[in-house]
């Protein structure tokens, strides 16, 4: 294995086996060399500008990681974030990603544009940047019925990833979020501020 191969492997192992075209150019490959590696089956295209190294990307985690890489400054979110945190069991397609407001719209990815991505709203989990559990629930809430939302939030509160404190913090930082009023009942508990206090 030459130096470039070792560099590629070192990058890919941190990204669930994926690497971007920009990263390949940065380690010293030319566009022609990248195309040759694709032709020889050493790189497999997952999304525009993103490749899986050595084998096709077959697991949802590998493809979800590739979706985030394809969108640049982005985070896995919404239904994809729900499954990533274990709140849902099934990976819906297309993968959903939140990113800074650009015209980027990679084929096969559902994009949600925002003006800014608060550093407190995202984290890296299993090698993928993803919206934190509380933010993920706020983002998915508008799609859910009251009954489904209640079941989903209560189930999430019984995991190690979420507490009422996390939801309260999310509400304090984003009081005008479309789901703010719907999430409020799950934040209020005995001994905590009343609805009027929060409003």
């Amino acid at each position: 294995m030459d130096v470039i191969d070792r560099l590629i492997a070192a990058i890919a192992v941190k990204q669930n086996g994926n690497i971007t075209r920009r990263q390949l150019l940065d380690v010293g490959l030319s566009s022609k060399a990248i195309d040759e590696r694709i032709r020889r089956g050493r790189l497999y295209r997952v999304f525009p500008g993103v490749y899986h190294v050595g084998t096709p990307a077959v697991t949802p985690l590998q493809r979800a990681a590739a979706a985030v890489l394809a969108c640049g400054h982005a985070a896995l979110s919404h239904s994809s974030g729900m499954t990533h945190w274990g709140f849902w069991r099934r990976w819906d397609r297309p993968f959903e990603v939140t990113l800074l407001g650009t015209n980027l719209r990679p084929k096969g990815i559902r994009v949600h544009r925002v003006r800014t991505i608060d550093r407190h709203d995202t984290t890296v989990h299993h090698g993928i940047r993803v919206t934190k559990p509380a933010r993920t629930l706020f983002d998915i809430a508008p799609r859910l019925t009251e009954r489904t939302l209640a079941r989903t939030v209560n189930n999430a509160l019984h995991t190690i990833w979420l507490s009422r404190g996390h939801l309260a913090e999310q509400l304090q930082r984003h009081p005008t979020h479309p789901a703010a009023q719907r999430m409020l009942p799950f934040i209020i508990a005995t001994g905590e501020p009343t609805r009027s206090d929060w409003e």
Side-chain angles (χ1 to χ4, degrees):
M1 181 181 292
D2 62 22
V3 173
I4 288 181
D5 285 330
R6 287 197 294 270
L7 289 172
I8 290 172
I11 294 169
V13 75
K14 297 178 181 179
Q15 301 179 158
N16 286 278
N18 300 299
I19 194 165
T20 67
R21 189 173 188 88
R22 179 71 264 168
Q23 289 170 330
L24 290 168
L25 293 170
D26 287 346
V27 300
L29 288 182
S30 64
S31 292
K32 183 177 180 180
I34 293 171
D35 292 341
E36 177 64 15
R37 284 176 180 245
I38 295 170
R39 188 186 68 79
R40 296 174 64 180
R42 298 176 69 181
L43 295 172
Y44 292 83
R45 182 180 179 277
V46 189
F47 292 108
V50 182
Y51 309 93
H52 199 260
V53 179
T55 63
V58 293
T59 71
L61 204 62
Q62 290 169 343
R63 297 188 65 82
V68 174
L69 289 172
C71 294
H73 187 51
L76 200 68
S77 64
H78 294 76
S79 65
S80 298
M82 292 293 289
T83 305
H84 188 69
W85 289 113
F87 300 155
W88 287 356
R89 294 183 179 181
R90 185 183 68 187
W91 287 93
D92 290 337
R93 302 294 177 90
F95 292 105
E96 296 192 67
V97 169
T98 292
L99 75 161
L100 291 177
T102 69
N103 292 323
L104 189 67
R105 191 184 293 272
K107 186 177 181 181
I109 303 170
R110 184 174 178 181
V111 169
H112 302 273
R113 293 183 180 83
V114 293
R115 292 183 180 179
T116 61
I117 297 180
D118 191 323
R119 64 184 180 86
H120 298 292
D121 284 346
T122 66
T123 188
V124 175
H125 184 62
H126 293 321
I128 303 175
R129 181 152 297 281
V130 58
T131 52
K132 288 183 178 180
R135 175 59 187 260
T136 303
L137 283 163
F138 268 64
D139 287 342
I140 204 68
R143 300 185 195 174
L144 307 180
T145 65
E146 292 297 332
R147 183 176 181 179
T148 301
L149 178 61
R151 183 174 64 249
T152 299
V153 174
N154 287 328
N155 287 343
L157 286 169
H158 282 86
T159 71
I160 63 172
W161 306 117
L162 187 73
S163 69
R164 281 192 172 84
H166 295 141
L167 295 175
E169 181 186 5
Q170 185 69 30
L171 180 62
Q172 288 174 329
R173 286 189 291 104
H174 300 284
T176 61
H177 190 285
Q181 288 299 313
R182 295 191 69 194
M183 297 299 292
L184 190 57
F186 305 106
I187 297 170
I188 299 171
T190 303
E192 295 184 5
T194 64
R195 176 182 292 271
S196 60
D197 291 333
W198 281 107
E199 291 174 348

